[in-house]
Amino acid sequence: MSLLLKGGTVVTHEETYQADILCEDGVISQIGSNISTPADTKVLDVTGKLIMPGGIDPHTHMQLPFMGTVAKDDFASGTIAALAGGTTSIIDFVIPNPQQPLLEAYQQWREWSAKSYANYSFHVAITWWDDSVSQDMETLVKDHGVNSFKHFMAYKNAIMATDDILVASFSKCLELGAVPTVHAENGELVYHLQHKMIAEGITGPEGHPLSRPPLVEGEAANRAINIAGTLGAPIYLVHVSTAEAVDAIRYAKDHSQIVFGEVLAGHLTVDDSVYQNPDWETAAAHVMSPPFRPKYHQDALWKGLQAGTLQTTATDHCAFCSEQKAMGKDNFTQIPNGTAGVEERMMVLWEHGVNSGRISANEFVALTSTNTAKIFNIYPRKGCIRVGADADLVVWNPEASKTLSAATHQSNIEHSIFEGMTIHGLPETTICNGKLAWHQGELLAQSGEGKYIERPPYAGYYDTLQKRQELNTPKAVSR
Ligand code: URP
Ligand code: ZN
Ligand code: ZN
């Protein structure tokens, strides 16, 4: 069945205009006024509503095995939450155990994700190194539509990538036209500070931010950027949470490096006072890495988005329930790291970005969808509204409002880091692959209807990168 959206205002990353949109066979087939209604077409009156590209969350962890447990939202509940919040695609992470073949882990995640309600794609983490890893990276890029690889600079004795791995993997990414991405925290410093806190008797959640101060992120961000810069590779920093990391990205961009920065809805709006909550369970519910920061960092993050230093917004949705968090009751280092947010990201950005006057509605579209599609090379299939693009759309009601709460969210966990936040302007209908997937509080999509998104390697800026590197390399002096 086709779908005709009538009477709405189309908002893209670059323009705003009145038009009807016809979706046929999963794609946008017509945009215009007074489109005639083909047979077997559902007509939705969206007068007074905004039609925007469906959100793309470039950072989620559904069903992640992590820190001795498995994240509570799987690819079913996690993608239902995404659709409820206007997000039609997620990019999740395949995280192989050290020594596990990358392709084996990738196949495992493909099996888990087959039940998705929304579209999905995968970054693949590089947690160890040998020739087989390099070979598997090549196979993933050439045969499986993976064009980004993740490096955890933290989580020592687990999945941490040391500098030798970063150098080998970033070089391979450059060769393949893939984007290296990093979780930038100095794992050695975290390890040292965690032991120091425990030795001093600080065992509660308040020890978490103390063991991961802003400089721990600033150091790793600078190191990753400088390694990439030396090799002539691009780099994407996930969950940038500090002024120090924003400064590092800005400096590198000013010096002609290709650097991308992602920020989480949580880091933009929640501060580190949450770790002082006398209720252990509530404080522990906020344990994620990097931690929530003193308020002044939020200002730097918003300015980073406004200036284009940061280009994408994500959630790092990695949901652990209270029982799982209690694994660290006597030692904060054992609290599974992660919080939810895939449902709330766009609403939080709308309220604190658009309604507060920090960003325009067009910038909102860029920051929640288009820029991610461009960076990870799925634009203009995703992230835009144009004839031929996938019909992944959100109908936004600027007049509706609600207060966010764990009592009403789709996630399987009992806490929300956005508890009590009132939002003015809500996603009312989510259209995924041309079908109504979520409509006025009701799930209409089916399990398995989400599609795997192949992302081809990037050719575009890699040519430029190589030329830039030549420009920046001192020439040998001929005597
Ligand atoms: O605390 C977090 N962020 N958990 C998920 C893993 C990661 O570091 O992204
Ligand atoms: Zn991370
Ligand atoms: Zn993450």
Side-chain angles (χ1 to χ4, degrees):
M1 191 203 281
S2 309
L3 180 65
L4 179 60
L5 305 179
K6 264 191 118 40
T9 301
V10 177
V11 182
T12 73
H13 68 289
E14 52 193 5
E15 53 188 340
T16 304
Y17 57 94
Q18 299 290 315
D20 302 341
I21 297 181
L22 180 64
C23 309
E24 291 178 298
D25 301 323
V27 297
I28 297 172
S29 58
Q30 283 187 61
I31 304 173
S33 46
N34 302 318
I35 298 174
S36 55
T37 313
D40 196 25
T41 297
K42 180 176 176 56
V43 180
L44 197 66
D45 179 2
V46 291
T47 307
K49 316 279 166 67
L50 310 176
I51 310 170
M52 300 187 275
I56 307 173
D57 187 334
H59 190 156
T60 65
H61 301 279
M62 306 308 174
Q63 205 171 324
L64 176 67
F66 191 52
M67 295 183 71
T69 185
V70 178
K72 271 282 165 200
D73 280 327
D74 60 11
F75 284 89
S77 64
T79 53
I80 291 171
L83 291 173
T87 288
T88 47
S89 301
I90 58 169
I91 314 183
D92 206 273
F93 293 80
V94 172
I95 307 186
N97 291 318
Q99 309 308 319
Q100 183 184 22
L102 268 57
L103 286 171
E104 180 186 294
Y106 170 80
Q107 292 303 349
Q108 175 68 80
W109 258 264
R110 285 296 303 267
E111 278 172 35
W112 289 338
S113 56
K115 59 187 169 200
S116 294
Y117 288 73
N119 300 324
Y120 56 97
S121 194
F122 290 110
H123 312 280
V124 175
I126 303 302
T127 54
W128 62 294
W129 191 261
D130 76 0
D131 285 349
S132 74
V133 174
S134 172
Q135 191 51 53
D136 281 358
M137 287 172 76
E138 200 155 329
T139 307
L140 285 163
V141 171
K142 292 188 173 151
D143 300 343
H144 298 285
V146 172
N147 73 7
S148 50
F149 293 93
K150 169 77 174 287
H151 308 80
F152 291 92
M153 298 172 78
Y155 306 124
K156 182 177 157 74
N157 295 332
I159 52 175
M160 184 168 97
T162 46
D163 285 2
D164 51 334
I165 297 179
L166 301 186
V167 172
S169 176
F170 290 9
S171 305
K172 188 70 186 176
C173 286
L174 185 60
E175 181 192 317
L176 295 171
V179 185
T181 78
V182 289
H183 167 136
E185 283 187 304
N186 183 316
E188 296 294 343
L189 281 171
V190 172
Y191 186 79
H192 170 80
L193 292 171
Q194 283 181 332
H195 282 86
K196 186 166 180 279
M197 293 307 139
I198 297 294
E200 288 173 10
I202 301 172
T203 59
E206 68 281 8
H208 181 67
L210 296 174
S211 66
R212 310 178 98 102
L215 269 183
V216 160
E217 180 177 329
E219 186 284 325
N222 275 292
R223 180 158 38 100
I225 290 170
N226 286 331
I227 291 173
T230 305
L231 298 170
I235 185 145
Y236 178 100
L237 284 83
V238 308
H239 51 43
V240 171
S241 73
T242 59
E244 287 81 349
V246 176
D247 286 348
I249 296 171
R250 187 187 309 106
Y251 181 88
K253 284 166 80 70
D254 281 353
H255 290 75
S256 82
Q257 251 186 269
I258 294 183
V259 185
F260 305 108
E262 164 196 289
V263 63
L264 307 184
H267 285 133
L268 286 167
T269 54
V270 179
D271 67 66
D272 64 347
S273 60
V274 293
Y275 300 114
Q276 304 304 328
N277 195 312
D279 177 43
W280 189 94
E281 195 179 306
T282 306
H286 290 85
V287 168
M288 66 155 303
S289 297
F292 297 108
R293 302 296 190 184
K295 249 196 174 344
Y296 72 89
H297 290 279
Q298 290 173 8
D299 195 39
L301 298 175
W302 282 111
K303 287 186 173 137
L305 285 175
Q306 289 164 332
T309 310
L310 307 173
Q311 299 84 12
T312 65
T313 57
T315 58
D316 201 357
H317 186 101
C318 187
F320 295 108
C321 68
S322 298
E323 194 185 333
Q324 292 173 307
K325 293 278 181 182
M327 291 163 65
K329 193 80 181 109
D330 303 320
N331 181 341
F332 71 85
T333 70
Q334 307 298 312
I335 301 172
N337 285 200
T339 54
V342 71
E343 180 174 346
E344 295 89 353
R345 176 185 66 124
M346 295 180 81
M347 291 182 264
V348 171
L349 255 287
W350 187 265
E351 181 67 21
H352 290 269
V354 180
N355 288 344
S356 74
R358 289 182 171 112
I359 56 172
S360 68
N362 304 100
E363 286 169 321
F364 170 84
V365 171
L367 295 171
T368 55
S369 183
T370 313
N371 291 352
T372 291
K374 286 183 178 174
I375 292 167
F376 293 109
N377 206 22
I378 47 176
Y379 181 87
R381 190 181 142 201
K382 304 277 186 202
C384 77
I385 297 181
R386 64 165 81 159
V387 172
D390 288 351
D392 290 347
L393 302 165
V394 58
V395 178
W396 205 267
N397 183 350
E399 303 303 329
S401 65
K402 77 169 180 187
T403 299
L404 301 177
S405 173
T408 48
H409 72 188
Q410 300 299 314
S411 168
N412 283 333
I413 63 172
E414 314 90 331
H415 279 94
S416 167
I417 58 170
F418 305 112
E419 188 70 41
M421 185 185 284
T422 299
I423 309 291
H424 305 86
L426 299 177
E428 195 168 82
T429 303
T430 307
I431 294 148
C432 191
N433 304 315
K435 287 187 183 168
L436 287 179
W438 183 272
H439 185 52
Q440 294 175 342
E442 199 189 335
L443 175 68
L444 301 176
Q446 308 279 326
S447 178
E449 281 187 339
K451 291 191 179 146
Y452 177 65
I453 308 165
E454 296 210 12
R455 295 176 292 122
Y458 211 117
Y461 60 73
Y462 277 78
D463 292 346
T464 314
L465 270 171
Q466 257 129 32
K467 285 186 195 135
R468 272 196 205 179
Q469 201 187 10
E470 276 166 36
L471 274 177
N472 292 335
T473 306
K475 301 282 169 297
V477 181
S478 52
R479 298 183 198 282

